[in-house]
C-alpha cells in the first residue's frame, strides 16, 4: 500500500478548494441571473459551461511543469 506524497496531498487539497470556489461562483452567478429574470435554460447552460470550464483537467501536469522549472 503506497502512502501519498506531500505533493499529492497538496494537489488534492488545492483541487478541493478550487472545486468549492468554482461551485460557489457558479451558484452566485445563477442566483444573480434569476434575480435579473434571465431565462432558466440560459442560466442552466451557462452555469454548467462555467463549472466544466473552471476545473482544469491538466492541473497535475501544470504543477509538474511548474515544479520542474
Amino acid at each position: 500500500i503506497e502512502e501519498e506524497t506531500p505533493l499529492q496531498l497538496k494537489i488534492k487539497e488545492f483541487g478541493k478548494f478550487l472545486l468549492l470556489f468554482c461551485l460557489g461562483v457558479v451558484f452566485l452567478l445563477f442566483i444573480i441571473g434569476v434575480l435579473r429574470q434571465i431565462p432558466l435554460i440560459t442560466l442552466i447552460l451557462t452555469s454548467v459551461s462555467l463549472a466544466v470550464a473552471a476545473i482544469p483537467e491538466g492541473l497535475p501536469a501544470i504543477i509538474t511543469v511548474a515544479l520542474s522549472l
Side-chain angles (χ1 to χ4, degrees):
I1 300 174
E2 292 184 28
E3 291 188 33
E4 293 184 331
T5 65
L7 178 60
Q8 289 173 325
L9 293 174
K10 287 286 188 184
I11 291 173
K12 194 177 285 188
E13 181 181 316
F14 179 68
K16 287 179 185 177
F17 168 76
L18 186 62
L19 174 68
L20 293 176
F21 179 76
C22 291
L23 288 178
V25 169
V26 168
F27 180 73
L28 180 66
L29 290 175
F30 187 84
I31 296 299
I32 290 171
V34 168
L35 294 175
R36 294 185 66 204
Q37 298 177 348
I38 295 174
L40 190 59
I41 189 69
T42 303
L43 291 175
I44 291 171
L45 289 174
T46 303
S47 297
V48 169
S49 298
L50 285 173
V52 169
I55 307 299
E57 81 180 45
L59 182 62
I62 293 168
I63 291 174
T64 303
V65 168
L67 289 174
S68 69
L69 297 177

